[in-house]
Amino acid sequence: MSIKPNSINWASRISLASLPTPLQPLKRLSDQLGGPRIWVKRDDLTGSLLSGNKVRKLEFTVAHALEKGHDLLITCGGLQSNHCRATAFVGAQLGIPVHLVLRGTPASMDGNLLLGNLAGASVHCYKTSEYQQNLQSILEQTAEQCRQQGFNPYIIPTGASDGVGVWGYFAACAELQQDFLNHQFQPDLIVTATGSGGTQAGLTLGSCYFGLGCDVLGMAVCDDMSYFQRKVESDITAFSEEFSGAFDKGLPDQYSIKTNDHYIGDGYGIASDSVLETIVEIANKEGLLLDPVYTGKAFYGLINEIQKGNLSHMNNIVFVHTGGGYGVFPFRERLEQIIKS
């Protein structure tokens, strides 16, 4: 039984994204594969500079920060973090200073790194080893420096993936509920790239709450299945503990966390030639732009699972396009080689 969105006492939210986003079939690709019909939830169209899945979470996260009296945002991620770029532009739009703590040493200012700087964020880059070993202390040191300057900083975790951020894709499931009614089909599976786990957590809990009637599969772009089992469970638990009072009928206590970790490749942000070839093919065939870090890797995994026959019993699969198009630019040389080959 599905539940109507107006039965929920929603958390504070700032309208940042262009919603609802379209749900579109990929007819030519589906016909070519001869498998289930593939649909794409176009969350790459949530905005331009605020594009992708991150802005759905930031609508709730930034509202929560402002409600608590914070006046500066600090967040973290890789050099090409979609979340960091989106946070920088949210801050610019709202007139809130933003500090970005980034993993890696840039060879040049490109893609999301360039955009974050253009938005006026204060960018702090750290060597990968130092970032991985000392992230929490780096974030706290950055926050303390901001306090000394008279600010009240709010630290947003990687990808805005925590109990508050779960609201973003929990709310998106209400939108998907309406999408499926409009298009008159029942999905057999919802697939999303998963990196920090927050999008997967929101979809997993939301699909149960709104009665979407299918599993959510996270296609891992980093870390393994056991990591995402713990991380998604942790985010859902934090959400449930803080916001259970918003739901008169209670939240589901039974849900299935499913992750496929077979397509991580050599690690986060490292795209194989096969992933890049998939990006080129889908752009040519469907006019859909995937990215090398998240959606390209996840979509490559989805196509492989279909070709292996693992999803042949399904009729409709929904791929949540989490954005990230600016991430293709640092891969321009390799993509050019594939295009010309």
Side-chain angles (χ1 to χ4, degrees):
M1 182 180 69
S2 62
I3 298 177
K4 295 181 179 180
N6 59 13
S7 67
I8 301 169
N9 182 19
W10 294 89
S12 297
R13 184 178 192 176
I14 297 174
S15 179
L16 299 169
S18 298
L19 302 176
T21 57
L23 179 67
Q24 300 172 341
L26 298 184
K27 187 177 185 306
R28 286 182 294 280
L29 178 65
S30 300
D31 289 346
Q32 175 186 310
L33 293 173
R37 171 167 285 197
I38 302 172
W39 298 77
V40 176
K41 180 62 171 170
R42 295 293 305 273
D43 274 12
D44 55 322
L45 302 179
T46 49
S48 176
L49 294 164
L50 298 185
S51 63
N53 61 327
K54 312 304 182 183
V55 66
R56 283 193 188 264
K57 293 185 272 186
L58 287 170
E59 287 194 332
F60 292 95
T61 299
V62 176
H64 180 77
L66 296 178
E67 193 173 57
K68 299 293 184 181
H70 297 279
D71 55 8
L72 182 146
L73 304 174
I74 301 171
T75 195
C76 55
L79 291 174
Q80 291 301 323
S81 167
N82 298 312
H83 163 68
C84 288
R85 177 255 302 156
T87 304
F89 276 91
V90 168
Q93 288 187 11
L94 299 178
I96 305 170
V98 173
H99 285 249
L100 304 179
V101 173
L102 303 182
R103 179 185 66 253
T105 305
S108 61
M109 195 179 290
D110 200 352
N112 286 321
L113 177 61
L114 172 61
L115 292 171
N117 278 275
L118 283 174
S122 297
V123 178
H124 315 271
C125 297
Y126 292 85
K127 291 181 179 179
T128 299
S129 58
E130 183 180 2
Y131 179 99
Q132 291 174 336
Q133 294 171 12
N134 304 308
L135 177 58
Q136 289 308 312
S137 62
I138 291 171
L139 291 171
E140 285 299 335
Q141 288 169 11
T142 305
E144 182 56 33
Q145 291 169 2
C146 293
R147 291 187 193 101
Q148 292 175 5
Q149 296 169 8
F151 292 100
N152 183 17
Y154 182 84
I155 297 175
I156 303 174
T158 305
S161 295
D162 60 5
V164 179
V166 167
W167 274 112
Y169 273 86
F170 182 91
C173 287
E175 197 174 301
L176 285 167
Q177 181 189 56
Q178 188 60 49
D179 285 334
F180 302 148
L181 287 172
N182 292 344
H183 289 279
Q184 299 183 332
F185 77 90
Q186 171 65 45
D188 297 294
L189 184 67
I190 296 172
V191 178
T192 183
T194 189
S196 56
T199 297
Q200 185 180 358
L203 289 171
T204 298
L205 187 64
S207 65
C208 291
Y209 185 85
F210 290 105
L212 301 188
C214 66
D215 284 329
V216 172
L217 176 64
M219 299 294 289
V221 302
C222 58
D223 299 302
D224 59 15
M225 189 184 304
S226 62
Y227 167 82
F228 285 106
Q229 183 71 33
R230 296 190 303 271
K231 182 60 169 64
V232 172
E233 183 69 51
S234 174
D235 286 351
I236 291 175
T237 299
F239 174 84
S240 300
E241 289 177 350
E242 185 165 357
F243 300 108
S244 59
F247 304 91
D248 293 339
K249 296 184 179 180
L251 285 166
D253 55 10
Q254 298 292 324
Y255 45 81
S256 180
I257 301 171
K258 295 185 178 296
T259 308
N260 183 320
D261 60 5
H262 297 158
Y263 300 98
I264 297 169
D266 291 333
Y268 177 81
I270 304 173
S272 66
D273 286 346
S274 296
V275 169
L276 297 181
E277 288 165 3
T278 297
I279 291 172
V280 173
E281 178 186 1
I282 301 306
N284 274 258
K285 188 175 295 295
E286 294 286 358
L288 189 71
L289 179 61
L290 304 173
D291 82 287
V293 179
Y294 291 97
T295 55
K297 192 174 286 189
F299 207 91
Y300 168 71
L302 173 59
I303 289 175
N304 270 263
E305 290 298 301
I306 291 173
Q307 290 175 331
K308 290 177 181 178
N310 294 338
L311 306 176
S312 59
H313 59 290
M314 297 184 180
N315 294 314
N316 292 283
I317 295 175
V318 175
F319 182 84
V320 178
H321 191 324
T322 51
Y326 299 111
V328 300
F329 294 105
F331 289 80
R332 57 167 59 85
E333 292 182 1
R334 290 176 61 197
L335 286 166
E336 183 179 359
Q337 292 175 357
I338 292 169
I339 292 167
K340 291 181 175 179
S341 65

